Amino acid sequence: MSEPDKDASSGTRVKGASLIARLQYLTEKGGDGLLARVLERLSAADRKILERRPLPSSLFPLELNARLDEAIAQVLNPGDPTAVYRELGRASAEQNLHKFHAIFLQGRDPHDLLSGFPAVRATYYSDGEASYEKTGDSAGTFRVVGAQSHSRPDCESTAGYFERAIELLGGKEAKVELGRCRDRGDDLCEFRCRW
């Protein structure tokens, strides 16, 4: 099992569970061959961490997660990386909601999940403050402020995560738009959810 990168003392850090979900996605989608093709696009240091399988509860730099997502997109669909990031988020929701957060799927609706998600996010990310605002019967906005690091792959995969989570709770035609995003120069990340 891999230990976190001790040299990355600043910046947002994410739980190893996020990295594990991506590695599992690759293995399920294309076996060890696909996993190897993705890992060979990464630096030796990144490969060492990922090949030793991260501990789910250990924290790793958000940038490592972004580099892995970018490598996956380069292999799977270099013409549309956003679609790959969204699919990674959807797969992560499928795995983590059933495995670690099943309580959110029991007798609840999408607003229940999204309003409780700031606390869940705090268990996966080392910093940033999240909030949720219900904006309609089938709409709401999730916001994250104050995170030291940000990346487009992380925001797009979070949007995919929310889309799948909403669907798992009965939301129809779930769509999540990035209203604002720090990767585009905004002061916060804002996920406008509707179903």
Side-chain angles (χ1 to χ4, degrees):
M1 295 280 178
S2 155
E3 289 302 314
D5 177 3
K6 306 264 191 266
D7 296 329
S9 58
S10 64
T12 301
R13 299 169 73 73
V14 295
K15 287 279 178 85
S18 178
L19 298 169
I20 292 168
R22 273 118 170 102
L23 299 174
Q24 182 175 333
Y25 170 84
L26 289 169
T27 303
E28 289 173 359
K29 188 168 183 71
D32 291 338
L34 178 58
L35 178 61
R37 285 176 47 214
V38 169
L39 293 180
E40 73 186 16
R41 293 181 165 272
L42 298 168
S43 70
D46 286 352
R47 281 195 310 272
K48 181 178 178 182
I49 292 169
L50 297 169
E51 287 170 347
R52 294 178 62 200
R53 295 292 175 164
L55 293 171
S57 60
S58 293
L59 290 170
F60 296 86
L62 178 68
E63 292 80 9
L64 171 60
N65 202 77
R67 290 189 299 269
L68 176 57
D69 287 356
E70 289 166 354
I72 293 169
Q74 289 168 2
V75 170
L76 294 182
N77 190 352
D80 190 0
T82 298
V84 175
Y85 305 147
R86 292 279 178 134
E87 183 57 32
L88 290 171
R90 293 177 68 81
S92 183
E94 191 72 43
Q95 178 183 340
N96 290 324
L97 283 172
H98 287 294
K99 190 172 186 179
F100 300 115
H101 306 293
I103 190 145
F104 282 109
L105 301 178
Q106 298 172 0
R108 297 174 182 244
D109 70 11
H111 288 299
D112 292 331
L113 174 115
L114 292 166
S115 65
F117 212 77
V120 173
R121 185 193 181 281
T123 68
Y124 282 89
Y125 292 81
S126 64
D127 65 2
E129 198 169 309
S131 63
Y132 176 70
E133 174 189 4
K134 181 177 177 178
T135 58
D137 289 342
S138 298
T141 301
F142 188 87
R143 294 180 182 91
V144 178
V145 299
Q148 294 180 58
S149 305
H150 56 86
S151 75
R152 178 175 170 229
D154 184 60
C155 286
E156 293 291 354
S157 68
T158 297
Y161 187 105
F162 286 154
E163 286 175 348
R164 184 63 187 136
I166 290 166
E167 292 167 359
L168 289 170
L169 289 165
K172 306 292 184 209
E173 299 178 21
K175 298 288 181 215
V176 177
E177 173 195 354
L178 290 176
R180 290 188 276 174
C181 184
R182 287 188 54 211
D183 200 56
R184 297 190 308 234
D186 296 317
D187 60 342
L188 59 91
C189 293
E190 180 179 77
F191 304 87
R192 297 176 186 163
C193 307
R194 57 185 163 75
W195 57 94

